[in-house]
Amino acid sequence: MRSSLVLVTLCAATTVAVADEAIKWTAAPGKGATLDAGDAFSLNLRSRINLRYQLHGAPPSMGERKFDQVVGIGTVRVWFSGHVRDPRLTYMLQLALGQRDYRDGAVSPVFDAFIDYKAHRDLSVKVGQFFVPFDRLRTVREFALQLADRPRPVSELTLDRDVGVTLYSDRFLDDKSPFAWRVGAFGGGGTNLTTGREPGGLFVARVEVRPLGTIDDDSEGDLERRPAPAVALGAAIAHNRNTNRLRSTTGSTFTGGTTDYTHYALDAVFKWNGLAVQAEYLKKTSSRETIPSAADPMVLEYTRAGSGFVFQASYVFDPPIEIVGRYSRLYAPGGTDPKWITEVRNLGQEIAGGVNYYVAGHQLKLQADWIVRTPRDSFAGTDHALHAQLDATF
């Protein structure tokens, strides 16, 4: 009887005394439901769905068919987060349950699983599986994106989630400091590893400066139409030693050996009065161009090096309607994978435009965009896709 009474009381969003601690339930649209037991423990549960329509130009292999249509669930996410024992010791578990989330032969729905300890203003420690803190356009949260897909230079040249540890500070040396830094060491193989490989590791260092004060640079667009301008600048370098993944931490697996990839990034974000501009330059080099495969007969496996840039701008009107445009280009050096060189030559230029309607910010929005990929310096032989989607976080 007493257990039933406690359950009813909790569901009524009141408080109940347990071991001299007040347990509180709160809930809000877009922020989920939170159980708070004071300094000892808290748990937040949130979820997100992405309903997506895509109309894509069909490849020549489809014969007379000119378009491919896909209507489905773009992604389903569930987050569990909070603190335990001490408000400075936080945790996060993110599960990705949509079919499109199972890329690169993924065998687990775990995207993020980490513990973060804010030991001091100048030193925090994060350990587990999470985004490698390399470039801004990759670490922007997916639900806070302005277009349906990330730009090609980002998906090709940057780093994804991995398992490791990061030391960092968001306010280095002063509570109002514009400087931030991050250094990390990771396994280097990305997520969902099921087989061993030659020992190696991924090492990354990043510095950031926000000279005009705080800015929400992990969220695209200026939805708040901030009255004062804000800027975030970042630079990073990473070295992935003995990786057997085609794109460093993602992509197919080499069968004949490993390579060393070195990554470089420069990025900038500007926001003011509804205008948002972000730009990024990325470069990836490889210690070797080919790897003899373990197949019989032996064939050469190619690594992939290259560089590219992204420029994206948007403006939010009042009411909350936003227009956004993006331009990006990829470059492939001679000597790298011939198929990659051909792909960059034929589809290395990307132009995208979109319109968004924010019902409740990035937590509930309607989006439509058109993304076109073309040969460099030409609009012939384009590859294009039209997207319309509903993105909702509960």
Side-chain angles (χ1 to χ4, degrees), residues 235-257:
I237 185 171
H239 183 72
N240 197 354
R241 179 170 174 77
N242 286 336
T243 179
N244 62 351
R245 302 294 293 272
L246 179 64
R247 297 187 184 92
S248 193
T249 55
T250 61
S252 59
T253 302
F254 298 125
T255 63

Side-chain angles (χ1 to χ4, degrees), residues 32-335:
T34 301
L35 179 152
D36 192 333
D39 290 349
F41 180 75
S42 71
L43 170 65
N44 173 261
L45 172 61
R46 286 185 300 151
S47 59
R48 170 179 170 244
I49 61 171
N50 176 278
L51 309 178
R52 181 166 175 168
Y53 172 86
Q54 175 176 300
L55 187 66
H56 185 271
S61 59
M62 294 299 175
E64 295 183 357
R65 188 183 354 173
K66 295 183 178 180
F67 298 97
D68 275 338
Q69 174 181 286
V70 178
V71 182
I73 306 297
T75 188
V76 176
R77 302 289 175 89
V78 178
W79 292 274
F80 301 87
S81 62
H83 69 264
V84 60
R85 297 186 179 275
D86 187 323
R88 297 174 298 173
L89 183 62
T90 60
Y91 64 91
M92 162 76 81
L93 173 63
Q94 180 184 181
L95 304 179
L97 307 176
Q99 184 176 0
R100 292 179 67 247
D101 296 320
Y102 279 70
R103 58 184 183 274
D104 293 338
V107 297
S108 167
V110 177
F111 259 32
D112 296 306
F114 62 81
I115 295 174
D116 192 331
Y117 181 55
K118 293 176 174 53
H120 189 270
R121 177 200 61 210
D122 298 333
L123 179 63
S124 296
V125 182
K126 188 175 183 179
V127 60
Q129 179 172 293
F130 48 90
F131 271 133
V132 175
F134 179 62
D135 68 308
R136 175 54 64 204
L137 294 189
R138 186 65 186 97
T139 55
V140 167
R141 297 164 294 178
E142 188 177 84
F143 69 83
L145 296 176
Q146 295 172 299
L147 296 168
D149 293 330
R150 296 185 192 268
R152 280 294 305 283
V154 171
S155 59
E156 179 62 41
L157 302 172
T158 188
L159 297 160
D160 206 87
R161 290 175 171 87
D162 207 342
V163 179
V165 57
T166 292
L167 307 179
Y168 71 96
S169 171
D170 287 323
R171 295 285 184 272
F172 187 53
L173 297 179
D174 188 275
D175 289 336
K176 296 183 179 180
S177 171
F179 298 104
W181 62 269
R182 308 173 196 281
V183 296
F186 298 82
T191 62
N192 298 303
L193 296 182
T194 58
T195 58
R197 64 174 176 87
E198 185 176 347
L202 168 62
F203 308 95
V204 60
R206 176 175 171 84
V207 292
E208 302 168 354
V209 59
R210 298 168 178 84
L212 300 181
T214 59
I215 176 176
D216 55 337
D217 51 341
D218 62 348
S219 178
E220 293 188 345
D222 182 22
L223 305 190
E224 297 180 357
R225 295 178 55 84
R226 52 187 308 139
V231 176
L233 305 173
I237 185 171
H239 183 72
N240 197 354
R241 179 170 174 77
N242 286 336
T243 179
N244 62 351
R245 302 294 293 272
L246 179 64
R247 297 187 184 92
S248 193
T249 55
T250 61
S252 59
T253 302
F254 298 125
T255 63
T258 64
T259 188
D260 297 349
Y261 280 126
T262 303
H263 301 256
Y264 308 88
L266 293 171
D267 51 74
V269 178
F270 172 82
K271 298 186 180 185
W272 185 27
N273 198 31
L275 173 68
V277 179
Q278 51 192 24
E280 184 163 295
Y281 172 78
L282 296 163
K283 184 176 182 179
K284 179 177 69 176
T285 63
S286 177
S287 62
R288 56 196 302 192
E289 296 175 349
T290 60
I291 299 174
S293 77
D296 186 18
M298 185 273 292
V299 296
L300 289 179
E301 298 176 303
Y302 288 89
T303 63
R304 289 168 69 146
S307 61
F309 69 84
V310 180
F311 180 83
Q312 185 166 310
S314 64
Y315 184 77
V316 174
F317 297 89
D318 193 15
I321 298 174
E322 177 186 63
I323 56 173
V324 56
R326 182 171 75 201
Y327 178 72
S328 71
R329 285 186 67 167
L330 278 166
Y331 301 88

